[in-house]
Amino acid sequence: MTVAWLAHPNTHSPADEVPAFLRTMHEMLSALLGRATQAADVEAPTEYVAAVTARKSLASRDHIIPMIDGKPQQSPKAA
């Protein structure tokens, strides 16, 4: 909706006013949702470690080892 308003020819805004407009829209939406507008609310992404390396995952012709759980799975056979 914000992009449509900015792109509409009747509501032309100079480029230097767009960041302030977007900041205001973000603050209004956050207030409506009852959230604080602090950057501390964002959680850091969890660091994931593969169960096996890519080389070990594809080392065998008989099975593959998924990097997620490290348990061997049957490889599909070509017809």
Side-chain angles (χ1 to χ4, degrees):
M1 181 174 126
T2 305
V3 175
W5 188 85
L6 288 170
H8 195 276
N10 292 335
T11 58
H12 179 68
S13 298
D16 57 337
E17 292 179 10
V18 171
F21 173 74
L22 293 175
R23 219 176 353 266
T24 303
M25 290 296 294
H26 181 265
E27 289 170 1
M28 285 184 195
L29 289 172
S30 295
L32 287 172
L33 294 174
R35 297 180 185 163
T37 58
Q38 298 175 356
D41 293 342
V42 178
E43 296 179 13
T46 306
E47 184 71 28
Y48 292 103
V49 179
V52 295
T53 63
R55 182 174 294 231
K56 186 173 180 181
S57 175
L58 302 171
S60 174
R61 290 180 174 251
D62 297 330
H63 62 274
I64 59 172
I65 302 174
M67 296 176 74
I68 296 172
D69 60 5
K71 297 176 184 173
Q73 303 290 322
Q74 193 72 10
S75 295
K77 301 294 180 188

